[in-house]
Amino acid sequence: MNTLIKNGTLVTAEKTFQADILIQDEKIQRISSGLEADSASTIDASGKLILPGGVDPHVHLDLPMFDTVSSDDHYTGHKAAAFGGTTTVMDFVPLAESPSPAGRGVRGEGDFRYSLDLWLKKAQKAAIDYSFHMNLTQFNENIAKQIPSLREMGIQTLKVFTAYNGRLRLDDGSIFKALQIAKENGMLVMAHCENGDVIETLVAQALAAGHTTPEWHALTRPAWGAVEATFRMAAMAGQADTPVYIVHMNAGGEVDMLKYARERGVKVMGETCPQYLFFTIDNLRQPDGAKWICSPPMRTKDDNARLWEGLTEGILQTVGTDHCPFFFDGREPIIYEGKPVAIPGKELGEDDFTKIPNGLPGIQDRMPVLWTTGVRAGKITPNQFVAYTSTNPAKIFGLYPRKGALLEGSDADIVIWDPEMKVKYGVAMSHQRTDYNLYEDWELIGYPEKVFLRGRMILDGDAWMGKAGDGQFLKRGEGKFV
Ligand code: URP
Ligand code: ZN
Ligand code: ZN
């Protein structure tokens, strides 16, 4: 199947230029001006931008949490991603114990092969391409021995947590050893940075004092904990002499820590997410404040502004979503693809903020929202937009130049972007399987018009041609420090 996209303006992380693109089967075959191809179906992209498909490095699909599960699965979440211009997503695999451990696993301990197989099964309905990060939430000699086997499984990333005491957190010694093992095996550690001990203390004190409303979620997870833990992770990476990637950066001070460490040669990279650029603790004080509950929490206007500076000045490297949606009211069904769906959500914590499932929708919103508020508002260039939403995640996570690139030989994951399309955004336009949208009624200018996945058009305006099962698992190689 050949397609010729003519007269478009190509935007890459490095440059913007006019050219035609010839797609042959799954790949970009040629990029040049004046291309002709009799056998190809031709699309005139005059006035449109051609972007590499978005790469979202941070999503949680079908993730069990508290007494429910994140409400997008590996089909609905992928479909929503495509509607926002994203063609590759990276999900996190919870480390699970196998009833009969495979490989080097030990009974009663996490087993990477078993955990990955569970997630691969869930992802059989994938509609776009995907890969996984492994949550490293237990650490001992046996787990350490298993880590190199992840490379053979196509996984080169380990997420560690400095918070969630007694559940997900590792102590600093274990994190440091994980960094050393990552270095030896060409892998990358990703870190969730908050201070678990401080959070545990503040949550107990808040509950004892009868504070149960959503704002207490933010008040018990102070920004200083995120700043201190980000610096601690950077310092450990410096001491292990290996890169580290800080996920969902949310506090202005984290940007300062990143800058400080990078200027001193530490290979630390940072991701922020759109929600941290706009929203504050005041959103949690609204009657529907539970909609904004995620960890780390929303901060202040000053934090929003410093994160924007981090993007403008190139201190940060990526914009992911941390897409982990829940219904606001999971007792009321929504209609998704013609069928009623209701999944328990934020109402689970209506009397206690600690029981509100943590996470927000955003997989579709990311690129259109960032285009309007970043590129159109003059805060970032179109090339920075491509770098943050596609090229840098592909480079960091070992997919470049197959993904994240408009190059001959790259996968033909292509977005025809209409920079003038005006939309009134919100839940009615969203394919995220939840009952609310954080950007309700926002006026956006600039939106994906057509989306190709490995040469096949999966989206044309409102028409969805993607299918469950069409997405491929991407085994990733060694990534690059950017
Ligand atoms: O609240 C969030 N972000 N839930 C997803 C888990 C995580 O820590 O990223
Ligand atoms: Zn996290
Ligand atoms: Zn996350």
Side-chain angles (χ1 to χ4, degrees), residues 427-459:
V427 75
M429 278 202 77
S430 171
H431 296 266
Q432 297 166 167
R433 195 168 61 175
T434 179
D435 57 352
Y436 75 99
N437 189 283
L438 295 176
Y439 308 95
E440 199 60 48
D441 287 338
W442 285 32
E443 307 270 353
L444 302 182
I445 306 179
Y447 209 74
E449 185 192 88
K450 292 182 173 46
V451 175
F452 294 81
L453 174 71
R454 281 180 280 103
R456 204 167 66 75
M457 202 195 295
I458 56 170
L459 186 76

PDB file of all heavy atoms in Angstrom, residues 427-459:
ATOM      1  N   VAL A 427     -15.132  16.663  26.945  1.00  0.00           N
ATOM      2  CA  VAL A 427     -15.458  15.243  27.025  1.00  0.00           C
ATOM      3  C   VAL A 427     -16.195  14.753  25.770  1.00  0.00           C
ATOM      4  O   VAL A 427     -16.028  13.603  25.353  1.00  0.00           O
ATOM      5  CB  VAL A 427     -16.224  14.942  28.340  1.00  0.00           C
ATOM      6  CG1 VAL A 427     -17.666  15.409  28.288  1.00  0.00           C
ATOM      7  CG2 VAL A 427     -16.116  13.477  28.719  1.00  0.00           C
ATOM      8  N   ALA A 428     -16.948  15.648  25.121  1.00  0.00           N
ATOM      9  CA  ALA A 428     -17.702  15.239  23.931  1.00  0.00           C
ATOM     10  C   ALA A 428     -16.759  14.902  22.774  1.00  0.00           C
ATOM     11  O   ALA A 428     -17.098  14.083  21.911  1.00  0.00           O
ATOM     12  CB  ALA A 428     -18.669  16.340  23.516  1.00  0.00           C
ATOM     13  N   MET A 429     -15.590  15.521  22.731  1.00  0.00           N
ATOM     14  CA  MET A 429     -14.627  15.244  21.649  1.00  0.00           C
ATOM     15  C   MET A 429     -13.663  14.127  22.019  1.00  0.00           C
ATOM     16  O   MET A 429     -12.861  13.684  21.196  1.00  0.00           O
ATOM     17  CB  MET A 429     -13.771  16.487  21.386  1.00  0.00           C
ATOM     18  CG  MET A 429     -14.419  17.512  20.516  1.00  0.00           C
ATOM     19  SD  MET A 429     -13.170  18.542  19.771  1.00  0.00           S
ATOM     20  CE  MET A 429     -12.537  17.512  18.478  1.00  0.00           C
ATOM     21  N   SER A 430     -13.695  13.733  23.268  1.00  0.00           N
ATOM     22  CA  SER A 430     -12.654  12.841  23.761  1.00  0.00           C
ATOM     23  C   SER A 430     -13.047  11.378  23.620  1.00  0.00           C
ATOM     24  O   SER A 430     -14.196  11.005  23.852  1.00  0.00           O
ATOM     25  CB  SER A 430     -12.382  13.161  25.227  1.00  0.00           C
ATOM     26  OG  SER A 430     -11.544  12.189  25.769  1.00  0.00           O
ATOM     27  N   HIS A 431     -12.075  10.562  23.271  1.00  0.00           N
ATOM     28  CA  HIS A 431     -12.278   9.112  23.203  1.00  0.00           C
ATOM     29  C   HIS A 431     -11.664   8.428  24.417  1.00  0.00           C
ATOM     30  O   HIS A 431     -11.577   7.204  24.465  1.00  0.00           O
ATOM     31  CB  HIS A 431     -11.702   8.563  21.898  1.00  0.00           C
ATOM     32  CG  HIS A 431     -12.431   9.122  20.717  1.00  0.00           C
ATOM     33  ND1 HIS A 431     -13.484   8.476  20.119  1.00  0.00           N
ATOM     34  CD2 HIS A 431     -12.307  10.323  20.086  1.00  0.00           C
ATOM     35  CE1 HIS A 431     -13.957   9.244  19.147  1.00  0.00           C
ATOM     36  NE2 HIS A 431     -13.261  10.360  19.103  1.00  0.00           N
ATOM     37  N   GLN A 432     -11.204   9.212  25.376  1.00  0.00           N
ATOM     38  CA  GLN A 432     -10.740   8.657  26.646  1.00  0.00           C
ATOM     39  C   GLN A 432     -11.975   8.096  27.360  1.00  0.00           C
ATOM     40  O   GLN A 432     -13.008   8.763  27.445  1.00  0.00           O
ATOM     41  CB  GLN A 432     -10.077   9.766  27.474  1.00  0.00           C
ATOM     42  CG  GLN A 432      -8.838  10.297  26.771  1.00  0.00           C
ATOM     43  CD  GLN A 432      -8.280  11.613  27.299  1.00  0.00           C
ATOM     44  OE1 GLN A 432      -7.176  11.955  26.946  1.00  0.00           O
ATOM     45  NE2 GLN A 432      -9.004  12.344  28.098  1.00  0.00           N
ATOM     46  N   ARG A 433     -11.848   6.861  27.863  1.00  0.00           N
ATOM     47  CA  ARG A 433     -13.046   6.213  28.419  1.00  0.00           C
ATOM     48  C   ARG A 433     -13.249   6.651  29.873  1.00  0.00           C
ATOM     49  O   ARG A 433     -12.982   5.905  30.813  1.00  0.00           O
ATOM     50  CB  ARG A 433     -12.933   4.699  28.292  1.00  0.00           C
ATOM     51  CG  ARG A 433     -14.284   4.004  28.521  1.00  0.00           C
ATOM     52  CD  ARG A 433     -14.243   2.560  28.129  1.00  0.00           C
ATOM     53  NE  ARG A 433     -13.277   1.797  28.882  1.00  0.00           N
ATOM     54  CZ  ARG A 433     -13.111   0.481  28.780  1.00  0.00           C
ATOM     55  NH1 ARG A 433     -13.845  -0.216  27.934  1.00  0.00           N
ATOM     56  NH2 ARG A 433     -12.203  -0.149  29.486  1.00  0.00           N
ATOM     57  N   THR A 434     -13.734   7.874  30.006  1.00  0.00           N
ATOM     58  CA  THR A 434     -14.086   8.378  31.323  1.00  0.00           C
ATOM     59  C   THR A 434     -15.162   9.440  31.136  1.00  0.00           C
ATOM     60  O   THR A 434     -15.476   9.817  30.006  1.00  0.00           O
ATOM     61  CB  THR A 434     -12.850   8.943  32.062  1.00  0.00           C
ATOM     62  OG1 THR A 434     -13.273   9.435  33.329  1.00  0.00           O
ATOM     63  CG2 THR A 434     -12.164  10.038  31.292  1.00  0.00           C
ATOM     64  N   ASP A 435     -15.729   9.902  32.258  1.00  0.00           N
ATOM     65  CA  ASP A 435     -16.889  10.789  32.173  1.00  0.00           C
ATOM     66  C   ASP A 435     -16.538  12.261  32.307  1.00  0.00           C
ATOM     67  O   ASP A 435     -17.419  13.093  32.502  1.00  0.00           O
ATOM     68  CB  ASP A 435     -17.930  10.392  33.241  1.00  0.00           C
ATOM     69  CG  ASP A 435     -17.347  10.409  34.656  1.00  0.00           C
ATOM     70  OD1 ASP A 435     -16.114  10.574  34.802  1.00  0.00           O
ATOM     71  OD2 ASP A 435     -18.125  10.234  35.609  1.00  0.00           O
ATOM     72  N   TYR A 436     -15.243  12.598  32.263  1.00  0.00           N
ATOM     73  CA  TYR A 436     -14.895  14.024  32.344  1.00  0.00           C
ATOM     74  C   TYR A 436     -13.602  14.287  31.594  1.00  0.00           C
ATOM     75  O   TYR A 436     -12.871  13.361  31.241  1.00  0.00           O
ATOM     76  CB  TYR A 436     -14.778  14.464  33.805  1.00  0.00           C
ATOM     77  CG  TYR A 436     -13.519  14.002  34.530  1.00  0.00           C
ATOM     78  CD1 TYR A 436     -12.427  14.854  34.683  1.00  0.00           C
ATOM     79  CD2 TYR A 436     -13.427  12.721  35.070  1.00  0.00           C
ATOM     80  CE1 TYR A 436     -11.286  14.446  35.357  1.00  0.00           C
ATOM     81  CE2 TYR A 436     -12.292  12.312  35.754  1.00  0.00           C
ATOM     82  CZ  TYR A 436     -11.223  13.172  35.897  1.00  0.00           C
ATOM     83  OH  TYR A 436     -10.096  12.772  36.560  1.00  0.00           O
ATOM     84  N   ASN A 437     -13.387  15.595  31.351  1.00  0.00           N
ATOM     85  CA  ASN A 437     -12.149  16.008  30.703  1.00  0.00           C
ATOM     86  C   ASN A 437     -11.638  17.254  31.438  1.00  0.00           C
ATOM     87  O   ASN A 437     -12.425  18.138  31.773  1.00  0.00           O
ATOM     88  CB  ASN A 437     -12.401  16.317  29.220  1.00  0.00           C
ATOM     89  CG  ASN A 437     -11.105  16.531  28.467  1.00  0.00           C
ATOM     90  OD1 ASN A 437     -10.477  17.587  28.572  1.00  0.00           O
ATOM     91  ND2 ASN A 437     -10.680  15.523  27.725  1.00  0.00           N
ATOM     92  N   LEU A 438     -10.333  17.296  31.668  1.00  0.00           N
ATOM     93  CA  LEU A 438      -9.773  18.423  32.428  1.00  0.00           C
ATOM     94  C   LEU A 438      -9.797  19.725  31.637  1.00  0.00           C
ATOM     95  O   LEU A 438      -9.677  20.798  32.212  1.00  0.00           O
ATOM     96  CB  LEU A 438      -8.324  18.114  32.820  1.00  0.00           C
ATOM     97  CG  LEU A 438      -8.102  16.953  33.789  1.00  0.00           C
ATOM     98  CD1 LEU A 438      -6.619  16.709  33.998  1.00  0.00           C
ATOM     99  CD2 LEU A 438      -8.787  17.218  35.123  1.00  0.00           C
ATOM    100  N   TYR A 439      -9.939  19.607  30.318  1.00  0.00           N
ATOM    101  CA  TYR A 439      -9.833  20.801  29.467  1.00  0.00           C
ATOM    102  C   TYR A 439     -11.200  21.162  28.876  1.00  0.00           C
ATOM    103  O   TYR A 439     -11.300  21.635  27.747  1.00  0.00           O
ATOM    104  CB  TYR A 439      -8.770  20.569  28.367  1.00  0.00           C
ATOM    105  CG  TYR A 439      -7.471  20.090  28.969  1.00  0.00           C
ATOM    106  CD1 TYR A 439      -7.169  18.723  29.047  1.00  0.00           C
ATOM    107  CD2 TYR A 439      -6.578  20.999  29.529  1.00  0.00           C
ATOM    108  CE1 TYR A 439      -6.004  18.279  29.652  1.00  0.00           C
ATOM    109  CE2 TYR A 439      -5.402  20.562  30.142  1.00  0.00           C
ATOM    110  CZ  TYR A 439      -5.122  19.194  30.199  1.00  0.00           C
ATOM    111  OH  TYR A 439      -3.958  18.766  30.805  1.00  0.00           O
ATOM    112  N   GLU A 440     -12.236  20.918  29.656  1.00  0.00           N
ATOM    113  CA  GLU A 440     -13.611  21.128  29.193  1.00  0.00           C
ATOM    114  C   GLU A 440     -13.801  22.577  28.744  1.00  0.00           C
ATOM    115  O   GLU A 440     -13.421  23.518  29.459  1.00  0.00           O
ATOM    116  CB  GLU A 440     -14.578  20.803  30.355  1.00  0.00           C
ATOM    117  CG  GLU A 440     -16.004  20.538  29.944  1.00  0.00           C
ATOM    118  CD  GLU A 440     -16.120  19.346  28.990  1.00  0.00           C
ATOM    119  OE1 GLU A 440     -15.550  18.284  29.265  1.00  0.00           O
ATOM    120  OE2 GLU A 440     -16.795  19.506  27.959  1.00  0.00           O
ATOM    121  N   ASP A 441     -14.331  22.709  27.520  1.00  0.00           N
ATOM    122  CA  ASP A 441     -14.657  24.026  26.938  1.00  0.00           C
ATOM    123  C   ASP A 441     -13.431  24.845  26.537  1.00  0.00           C
ATOM    124  O   ASP A 441     -13.572  26.016  26.209  1.00  0.00           O
ATOM    125  CB  ASP A 441     -15.545  24.874  27.872  1.00  0.00           C
ATOM    126  CG  ASP A 441     -16.959  24.340  27.918  1.00  0.00           C
ATOM    127  OD1 ASP A 441     -17.364  23.637  26.972  1.00  0.00           O
ATOM    128  OD2 ASP A 441     -17.652  24.594  28.927  1.00  0.00           O
ATOM    129  N   TRP A 442     -12.241  24.275  26.597  1.00  0.00           N
ATOM    130  CA  TRP A 442     -11.073  25.033  26.148  1.00  0.00           C
ATOM    131  C   TRP A 442     -11.154  25.189  24.622  1.00  0.00           C
ATOM    132  O   TRP A 442     -11.529  24.260  23.908  1.00  0.00           O
ATOM    133  CB  TRP A 442      -9.768  24.316  26.497  1.00  0.00           C
ATOM    134  CG  TRP A 442      -9.390  24.408  27.959  1.00  0.00           C
ATOM    135  CD1 TRP A 442     -10.231  24.469  29.025  1.00  0.00           C
ATOM    136  CD2 TRP A 442      -8.065  24.439  28.490  1.00  0.00           C
ATOM    137  NE1 TRP A 442      -9.513  24.532  30.191  1.00  0.00           N
ATOM    138  CE2 TRP A 442      -8.184  24.512  29.909  1.00  0.00           C
ATOM    139  CE3 TRP A 442      -6.796  24.401  27.936  1.00  0.00           C
ATOM    140  CZ2 TRP A 442      -7.064  24.557  30.752  1.00  0.00           C
ATOM    141  CZ3 TRP A 442      -5.693  24.435  28.772  1.00  0.00           C
ATOM    142  CH2 TRP A 442      -5.827  24.527  30.171  1.00  0.00           C
ATOM    143  N   GLU A 443     -10.804  26.402  24.149  1.00  0.00           N
ATOM    144  CA  GLU A 443     -10.756  26.650  22.699  1.00  0.00           C
ATOM    145  C   GLU A 443      -9.357  26.272  22.222  1.00  0.00           C
ATOM    146  O   GLU A 443      -8.385  26.904  22.633  1.00  0.00           O
ATOM    147  CB  GLU A 443     -10.963  28.142  22.398  1.00  0.00           C
ATOM    148  CG  GLU A 443     -12.197  28.744  23.027  1.00  0.00           C
ATOM    149  CD  GLU A 443     -13.410  28.631  22.122  1.00  0.00           C
ATOM    150  OE1 GLU A 443     -13.235  28.209  20.960  1.00  0.00           O
ATOM    151  OE2 GLU A 443     -14.513  28.947  22.606  1.00  0.00           O
ATOM    152  N   LEU A 444      -9.278  25.255  21.385  1.00  0.00           N
ATOM    153  CA  LEU A 444      -7.977  24.844  20.871  1.00  0.00           C
ATOM    154  C   LEU A 444      -7.877  25.205  19.399  1.00  0.00           C
ATOM    155  O   LEU A 444      -8.857  25.096  18.654  1.00  0.00           O
ATOM    156  CB  LEU A 444      -7.773  23.334  21.053  1.00  0.00           C
ATOM    157  CG  LEU A 444      -7.857  22.798  22.488  1.00  0.00           C
ATOM    158  CD1 LEU A 444      -7.579  21.296  22.511  1.00  0.00           C
ATOM    159  CD2 LEU A 444      -6.904  23.527  23.427  1.00  0.00           C
ATOM    160  N   ILE A 445      -6.698  25.608  18.988  1.00  0.00           N
ATOM    161  CA  ILE A 445      -6.448  25.869  17.562  1.00  0.00           C
ATOM    162  C   ILE A 445      -5.233  25.040  17.171  1.00  0.00           C
ATOM    163  O   ILE A 445      -4.131  25.256  17.684  1.00  0.00           O
ATOM    164  CB  ILE A 445      -6.198  27.362  17.277  1.00  0.00           C
ATOM    165  CG1 ILE A 445      -7.345  28.202  17.825  1.00  0.00           C
ATOM    166  CG2 ILE A 445      -6.030  27.586  15.762  1.00  0.00           C
ATOM    167  CD1 ILE A 445      -7.183  29.698  17.611  1.00  0.00           C
ATOM    168  N   GLY A 446      -5.463  24.099  16.224  1.00  0.00           N
ATOM    169  CA  GLY A 446      -4.411  23.154  15.843  1.00  0.00           C
ATOM    170  C   GLY A 446      -4.800  21.778  16.341  1.00  0.00           C
ATOM    171  O   GLY A 446      -4.961  21.560  17.549  1.00  0.00           O
ATOM    172  N   TYR A 447      -4.979  20.849  15.364  1.00  0.00           N
ATOM    173  CA  TYR A 447      -5.534  19.543  15.744  1.00  0.00           C
ATOM    174  C   TYR A 447      -5.134  18.516  14.688  1.00  0.00           C
ATOM    175  O   TYR A 447      -4.987  18.856  13.512  1.00  0.00           O
ATOM    176  CB  TYR A 447      -7.069  19.668  15.811  1.00  0.00           C
ATOM    177  CG  TYR A 447      -7.694  18.718  16.799  1.00  0.00           C
ATOM    178  CD1 TYR A 447      -7.580  18.957  18.165  1.00  0.00           C
ATOM    179  CD2 TYR A 447      -8.374  17.584  16.375  1.00  0.00           C
ATOM    180  CE1 TYR A 447      -8.136  18.088  19.082  1.00  0.00           C
ATOM    181  CE2 TYR A 447      -8.933  16.703  17.291  1.00  0.00           C
ATOM    182  CZ  TYR A 447      -8.807  16.967  18.644  1.00  0.00           C
ATOM    183  OH  TYR A 447      -9.343  16.111  19.548  1.00  0.00           O
ATOM    184  N   PRO A 448      -4.990  17.249  15.072  1.00  0.00           N
ATOM    185  CA  PRO A 448      -4.664  16.239  14.055  1.00  0.00           C
ATOM    186  C   PRO A 448      -5.822  16.044  13.084  1.00  0.00           C
ATOM    187  O   PRO A 448      -6.973  15.961  13.508  1.00  0.00           O
ATOM    188  CB  PRO A 448      -4.465  14.950  14.857  1.00  0.00           C
ATOM    189  CG  PRO A 448      -4.520  15.319  16.290  1.00  0.00           C
ATOM    190  CD  PRO A 448      -5.109  16.674  16.420  1.00  0.00           C
ATOM    191  N   GLU A 449      -5.459  15.957  11.795  1.00  0.00           N
ATOM    192  CA  GLU A 449      -6.504  15.732  10.787  1.00  0.00           C
ATOM    193  C   GLU A 449      -6.506  14.278  10.321  1.00  0.00           C
ATOM    194  O   GLU A 449      -7.547  13.642  10.212  1.00  0.00           O
ATOM    195  CB  GLU A 449      -6.249  16.659   9.596  1.00  0.00           C
ATOM    196  CG  GLU A 449      -7.328  16.586   8.554  1.00  0.00           C
ATOM    197  CD  GLU A 449      -6.887  17.289   7.287  1.00  0.00           C
ATOM    198  OE1 GLU A 449      -6.247  16.623   6.440  1.00  0.00           O
ATOM    199  OE2 GLU A 449      -7.166  18.487   7.157  1.00  0.00           O
ATOM    200  N   LYS A 450      -5.301  13.765  10.038  1.00  0.00           N
ATOM    201  CA  LYS A 450      -5.161  12.357   9.631  1.00  0.00           C
ATOM    202  C   LYS A 450      -3.988  11.752  10.394  1.00  0.00           C
ATOM    203  O   LYS A 450      -2.983  12.434  10.616  1.00  0.00           O
ATOM    204  CB  LYS A 450      -4.862  12.247   8.133  1.00  0.00           C
ATOM    205  CG  LYS A 450      -6.011  12.668   7.220  1.00  0.00           C
ATOM    206  CD  LYS A 450      -5.611  12.478   5.771  1.00  0.00           C
ATOM    207  CE  LYS A 450      -6.746  12.704   4.787  1.00  0.00           C
ATOM    208  NZ  LYS A 450      -7.573  13.878   4.974  1.00  0.00           N
ATOM    209  N   VAL A 451      -4.135  10.467  10.753  1.00  0.00           N
ATOM    210  CA  VAL A 451      -3.048   9.795  11.484  1.00  0.00           C
ATOM    211  C   VAL A 451      -2.760   8.459  10.798  1.00  0.00           C
ATOM    212  O   VAL A 451      -3.688   7.679  10.506  1.00  0.00           O
ATOM    213  CB  VAL A 451      -3.439   9.569  12.965  1.00  0.00           C
ATOM    214  CG1 VAL A 451      -2.363   8.765  13.691  1.00  0.00           C
ATOM    215  CG2 VAL A 451      -3.664  10.900  13.675  1.00  0.00           C
ATOM    216  N   PHE A 452      -1.472   8.214  10.552  1.00  0.00           N
ATOM    217  CA  PHE A 452      -1.014   6.950   9.956  1.00  0.00           C
ATOM    218  C   PHE A 452      -0.217   6.171  10.983  1.00  0.00           C
ATOM    219  O   PHE A 452       0.628   6.729  11.678  1.00  0.00           O
ATOM    220  CB  PHE A 452      -0.094   7.211   8.758  1.00  0.00           C
ATOM    221  CG  PHE A 452      -0.774   7.865   7.591  1.00  0.00           C
ATOM    222  CD1 PHE A 452      -0.983   9.242   7.585  1.00  0.00           C
ATOM    223  CD2 PHE A 452      -1.198   7.123   6.501  1.00  0.00           C
ATOM    224  CE1 PHE A 452      -1.606   9.850   6.505  1.00  0.00           C
ATOM    225  CE2 PHE A 452      -1.819   7.723   5.421  1.00  0.00           C
ATOM    226  CZ  PHE A 452      -2.039   9.098   5.429  1.00  0.00           C
ATOM    227  N   LEU A 453      -0.487   4.872  11.057  1.00  0.00           N
ATOM    228  CA  LEU A 453       0.320   3.966  11.878  1.00  0.00           C
ATOM    229  C   LEU A 453       0.991   2.974  10.942  1.00  0.00           C
ATOM    230  O   LEU A 453       0.304   2.223  10.233  1.00  0.00           O
ATOM    231  CB  LEU A 453      -0.570   3.214  12.884  1.00  0.00           C
ATOM    232  CG  LEU A 453       0.146   2.135  13.694  1.00  0.00           C
ATOM    233  CD1 LEU A 453       1.094   2.749  14.717  1.00  0.00           C
ATOM    234  CD2 LEU A 453      -0.863   1.226  14.391  1.00  0.00           C
ATOM    235  N   ARG A 454       2.304   3.001  10.894  1.00  0.00           N
ATOM    236  CA  ARG A 454       3.067   2.122   9.979  1.00  0.00           C
ATOM    237  C   ARG A 454       2.412   2.079   8.595  1.00  0.00           C
ATOM    238  O   ARG A 454       2.139   1.030   8.049  1.00  0.00           O
ATOM    239  CB  ARG A 454       3.218   0.718  10.583  1.00  0.00           C
ATOM    240  CG  ARG A 454       4.331   0.664  11.632  1.00  0.00           C
ATOM    241  CD  ARG A 454       4.511  -0.702  12.238  1.00  0.00           C
ATOM    242  NE  ARG A 454       3.546  -0.984  13.262  1.00  0.00           N
ATOM    243  CZ  ARG A 454       2.488  -1.754  13.105  1.00  0.00           C
ATOM    244  NH1 ARG A 454       2.275  -2.365  11.960  1.00  0.00           N
ATOM    245  NH2 ARG A 454       1.627  -1.929  14.084  1.00  0.00           N
ATOM    246  N   GLY A 455       2.140   3.267   8.059  1.00  0.00           N
ATOM    247  CA  GLY A 455       1.697   3.391   6.663  1.00  0.00           C
ATOM    248  C   GLY A 455       0.207   3.275   6.459  1.00  0.00           C
ATOM    249  O   GLY A 455      -0.285   3.586   5.369  1.00  0.00           O
ATOM    250  N   ARG A 456      -0.522   2.846   7.454  1.00  0.00           N
ATOM    251  CA  ARG A 456      -1.967   2.662   7.293  1.00  0.00           C
ATOM    252  C   ARG A 456      -2.694   3.814   7.980  1.00  0.00           C
ATOM    253  O   ARG A 456      -2.390   4.145   9.125  1.00  0.00           O
ATOM    254  CB  ARG A 456      -2.400   1.333   7.927  1.00  0.00           C
ATOM    255  CG  ARG A 456      -3.684   0.769   7.357  1.00  0.00           C
ATOM    256  CD  ARG A 456      -3.870  -0.675   7.809  1.00  0.00           C
ATOM    257  NE  ARG A 456      -4.075  -0.788   9.241  1.00  0.00           N
ATOM    258  CZ  ARG A 456      -5.216  -0.476   9.862  1.00  0.00           C
ATOM    259  NH1 ARG A 456      -6.259  -0.046   9.184  1.00  0.00           N
ATOM    260  NH2 ARG A 456      -5.311  -0.614  11.158  1.00  0.00           N
ATOM    261  N   MET A 457      -3.649   4.422   7.244  1.00  0.00           N
ATOM    262  CA  MET A 457      -4.392   5.513   7.863  1.00  0.00           C
ATOM    263  C   MET A 457      -5.361   4.934   8.895  1.00  0.00           C
ATOM    264  O   MET A 457      -6.208   4.117   8.562  1.00  0.00           O
ATOM    265  CB  MET A 457      -5.170   6.301   6.803  1.00  0.00           C
ATOM    266  CG  MET A 457      -5.501   7.708   7.273  1.00  0.00           C
ATOM    267  SD  MET A 457      -6.741   8.507   6.293  1.00  0.00           S
ATOM    268  CE  MET A 457      -5.938   8.669   4.731  1.00  0.00           C
ATOM    269  N   ILE A 458      -5.194   5.345  10.144  1.00  0.00           N
ATOM    270  CA  ILE A 458      -6.082   4.821  11.194  1.00  0.00           C
ATOM    271  C   ILE A 458      -7.102   5.866  11.641  1.00  0.00           C
ATOM    272  O   ILE A 458      -8.044   5.542  12.361  1.00  0.00           O
ATOM    273  CB  ILE A 458      -5.298   4.273  12.416  1.00  0.00           C
ATOM    274  CG1 ILE A 458      -4.369   5.330  13.011  1.00  0.00           C
ATOM    275  CG2 ILE A 458      -4.516   3.018  12.036  1.00  0.00           C
ATOM    276  CD1 ILE A 458      -3.759   4.906  14.362  1.00  0.00           C
ATOM    277  N   LEU A 459      -6.880   7.090  11.183  1.00  0.00           N
ATOM    278  CA  LEU A 459      -7.787   8.151  11.600  1.00  0.00           C
ATOM    279  C   LEU A 459      -7.886   9.192  10.496  1.00  0.00           C
ATOM    280  O   LEU A 459      -6.865   9.601   9.959  1.00  0.00           O
ATOM    281  CB  LEU A 459      -7.199   8.822  12.849  1.00  0.00           C
ATOM    282  CG  LEU A 459      -8.076   9.863  13.505  1.00  0.00           C
ATOM    283  CD1 LEU A 459      -9.177   9.167  14.282  1.00  0.00           C
ATOM    284  CD2 LEU A 459      -7.232  10.682  14.473  1.00  0.00           C
TER     285      LEU A 459
END
